Amino acid sequence: MTPVIAATSLSKSFETKTGTVGAVREVSFRVAPGEVVGLLGPNGAGKTTTMRMLSTLERPTRGSAVVAGHDLLRDAHGVRRSIGLVAQSGGTRPIATPRDELLLQARIHRLAEPARRAQAMIDTFDLADLADRPTMTLSGGQRRRLDVAIGLIHTPAVLFLDEPTAALDPPSRAEMWQHIRNLRRRAAATVVLSTHHLDEADALCDRVLILDHGRLVAEDSPARLKRQLGDDVLTVALTGDAGRARDAVGGLPGVRGVHGDGNELRIGCQNADELVSRVVLALHDNRVEVRGLRVAHPSLDDVFLALTGHATHQEV
Ligand SMILES: Nc1ncnc2c1ncn2[C@@H]1O[C@H](COP(=O)(O)OP(=O)(O)OP(=O)(O)O)[C@@H](O)[C@H]1O
């Protein structure tokens, strides 16, 4: 199947007073039609810059991409016509109403029957009660919903959502998740979204691209990424030398991998119940005090830590 996005060695460097920042480095990937793909990584990993390049807002320093059949460098106009972009900051005017904003976008895209199209988006995104109020009176979640409606009004082949749920409270977040799920069900839209919430990527994405320091370090479905670590993760809170603790348990039979984050070891394994007593004994023999134990299925947090050596909430 022809991919909707094919990025090849996409790279972007910024020249700053303190030197060159390699924001995105040689990133290559493909996105199939109808896929929901997550760009995942901590602050500064290169997610926004990747999206800005793919939506023609930033020119790549190196590399190329084809988006919805249009070459990014040779046919930026074609790319722009085929995509919707919901930026982190949104883009609505405070005193305009949602209906004004949707109408304006419909006209910018020269859609037939703009008023009917605006109303369709108002209905789809549950904006009926809010449609004629100034956008500055909307809550963060309501405004975000409007941003997505605006991004979709021209039925783009690809929708880029930059942190669609940043700063939303849990109910608004859940609502936004439902809208993103509906996009795929109703519109079969291809969606590329960025997030640093691993649970969000897990809940919404067919595939995640994990970025760290501008590089693509892994690319797979959330389920397969987690399975690589085993069925269980045994988390051990400890006091003592983390390096010595890692060495003590790393070679035990059944251990798939050990990752340390401060005073905590996370041990990927097939069956944590069988391993617990051996881990405690090995740590005791190496003078590491165990303060607590917890068993869980691997999360994308564990995957991220295993791949990069640091947690997603740490800035890079
Ligand atoms: N215009 C710019 N000038 C200089 N450096 C920049 C510019 N834009 C981005 N950067 C740098 O590029 C790197 C990647 O930034 P980017 O915004 O793409 O990361 P991100 O993963 O989207 O982060 P966040 O989750 O915080 O939005 C960062 O180190 C950032 O400071």
Side-chain angles (χ1 to χ4, degrees):
M1 195 186 287
T2 312
V4 179
I5 299 175
T8 310
S9 302
L10 216 48
S11 307
K12 180 74 191 179
S13 312
F14 294 103
E15 297 305 327
T16 67
K17 281 186 190 146
T18 49
T20 305
V21 179
V24 177
R25 305 165 196 235
E26 305 283 329
V27 165
S28 301
F29 63 90
R30 284 163 178 254
V31 177
E35 259 193 309
V36 178
V37 169
L39 298 179
L40 193 64
N43 290 129
K47 305 180 296 294
T48 299
T49 307
T50 301
M51 281 204 185
R52 285 176 60 80
M53 283 193 282
L54 291 174
S55 47
T56 75
L57 294 179
E58 204 81 73
R59 197 178 167 80
T61 315
R62 274 188 318 282
S64 60
V66 176
V67 179
H70 304 280
D71 186 286
L72 199 60
L73 302 176
R74 285 195 290 268
D75 183 12
H77 187 65
V79 173
R80 278 199 286 275
R81 259 187 301 141
S82 315
I83 61 160
L85 170 68
V86 179
Q88 256 179 58
S89 51
T92 49
R93 296 163 301 163
I95 54 163
T97 66
R99 191 183 302 281
D100 294 336
E101 294 297 58
L102 287 162
L103 265 173
L104 176 67
Q105 287 303 315
R107 290 192 178 119
I108 288 173
H109 288 291
R110 297 174 193 278
L111 302 181
E113 300 188 68
R116 204 180 54 78
R117 189 68 194 138
Q119 186 60 49
M121 300 315 282
I122 287 168
D123 295 340
T124 305
F125 285 89
D126 295 333
L127 293 166
D129 294 344
L130 316 166
D132 300 303
R133 269 167 48 179
T135 61
M136 65 187 173
T137 66
L138 269 50
S139 74
Q142 292 165 341
R143 214 169 308 151
R144 215 64 191 124
R145 240 157 55 214
L146 173 62
D147 290 336
V148 177
I150 290 172
L152 276 172
I153 197 159
H154 56 304
T155 333
V158 184
L159 181 66
F160 292 102
L161 297 173
D162 198 357
E163 300 197 17
T165 63
L168 297 193
D169 61 12
S172 308
R173 216 167 150 230
E175 205 170 11
M176 182 56 84
W177 283 13
Q178 202 46 51
H179 281 294
I180 294 171
R181 288 196 183 104
N182 289 345
L183 287 182
R184 102 117 42 95
R185 220 163 21 91
R186 289 206 212 123
T190 304
V191 178
V192 177
L193 63 90
S194 74
T195 181
H196 17 139
H197 298 297
L198 296 146
D199 58 338
E200 180 158 294
D202 213 353
L204 295 177
C205 299
D206 301 309
R207 215 148 47 85
V208 290
L209 309 180
I210 298 185
L211 291 172
D212 188 39
H213 292 94
R215 289 195 192 284
L216 184 59
V217 294
E219 174 186 357
D220 215 331
S221 69
R224 267 199 298 270
L225 285 169
K226 288 185 286 183
R227 263 203 307 275
Q228 286 170 11
L229 295 183
D231 287 339
D232 290 337
V233 170
L234 173 63
T235 302
V236 186
L238 46 85
T239 312
D241 184 331
R244 197 165 61 217
R246 252 198 316 270
D247 292 344
V249 300
L252 293 175
V255 170
R256 285 272 187 96
V258 185
H259 308 283
D261 181 14
N263 292 326
E264 212 174 66
L265 280 191
R266 300 201 209 180
I267 305 168
C269 56
Q270 249 358 80
N271 185 338
D273 291 341
E274 286 176 5
L275 197 66
V276 167
S277 53
R278 268 180 281 147
V279 165
V280 173
L281 275 177
L283 291 173
H284 180 261
D285 289 348
N286 284 275
R287 301 185 306 286
V288 176
E289 186 193 336
V290 174
R291 290 189 290 106
L293 289 163
R294 198 171 68 241
V295 177
H297 293 306
S299 66
L300 275 181
D301 276 299
D302 296 306
V303 173
F304 198 85
L305 185 62
L307 285 167
T308 66
H310 57 85
T312 39
H313 54 263
Q314 290 172 341
E315 288 227 7
V316 295

